[in-house]
Amino acid sequence: MTKPAAVKFHRWDDMPKQRVTDQIDRKIIVGERMMLAHVYLKKGSIVPRHSHDNEQLTYILEGALKFSIGAEGSAEAQEELIVRAGEVLVIPSNVLHQAVALEDTLDVDVFCPPRQDWLDGTDDYFHRK
């Protein structure tokens, strides 16, 4: 018989803040099959174009992000949309996307499965030139 997973309680104020770039920080909570993150973006910060196998939900609590969906200069039309406080964007697996903070923003990201690159520090797309 498999032992059930332990219930865990977290308080955002107690979670360590990770510096991603000079303008982006995050706090992460990880379960067995999901990851929840608070992402703090300063106005003008950019999350570079990238994709991942993880399905993503982005829920804006404060501020606004302008997303570019799809490959830049590809045959497929690149879609741009602004997601504001109270709105949610669902990004399927392997979809290229980029975000620009239009104002100071707090967003909640949910990933399934958890982002291993965030956990082991190999999310180098933030630092590509």
Side-chain angles (χ1 to χ4, degrees):
M1 181 182 253
T2 304
K3 182 180 175 183
V7 173
K8 297 178 184 173
F9 175 81
H10 299 278
R11 182 175 286 116
W12 283 116
D13 288 343
D14 297 338
M15 301 305 295
K17 193 178 268 191
Q18 302 172 354
R19 173 58 46 114
V20 179
T21 71
D22 288 343
Q23 295 188 306
I24 302 173
D25 296 301
R26 66 184 173 217
K27 295 181 178 185
I28 298 173
I29 297 173
V30 182
E32 287 184 36
R33 295 185 290 169
M34 291 188 296
M35 173 186 279
L36 180 65
H38 270 189
V39 183
Y40 306 85
L41 303 104
K42 297 281 186 202
K43 181 179 180 177
S45 64
I46 298 172
V47 177
R49 189 174 313 281
H50 67 286
S51 66
H52 39 75
D53 289 336
N54 321 73
E55 185 174 13
Q56 176 177 348
L57 300 175
T58 295
Y59 171 33
I60 306 300
L61 293 180
E62 301 170 4
L65 296 178
K66 181 170 90 174
F67 282 87
S68 298
I69 308 296
E72 193 172 35
S74 73
E76 295 178 22
Q78 182 175 322
E79 180 182 2
E80 289 195 347
L81 47 102
I82 296 173
V83 184
R84 300 182 188 283
E87 298 176 336
V88 178
L89 182 64
V90 178
I91 303 172
S93 298
N94 300 311
V95 171
L96 277 168
H97 56 285
Q98 172 181 310
V100 177
L102 300 179
E103 50 193 86
D104 288 352
T105 300
L106 170 55
D107 99 60
V108 175
D109 284 335
V110 179
F111 296 100
C112 182
R115 293 282 305 267
Q116 189 59 44
D117 60 336
W118 282 23
L119 297 173
D120 62 22
T122 60
D123 52 345
D124 60 350
Y125 63 91
F126 280 105
H127 308 288
R128 276 190 234 133
K129 298 292 182 204

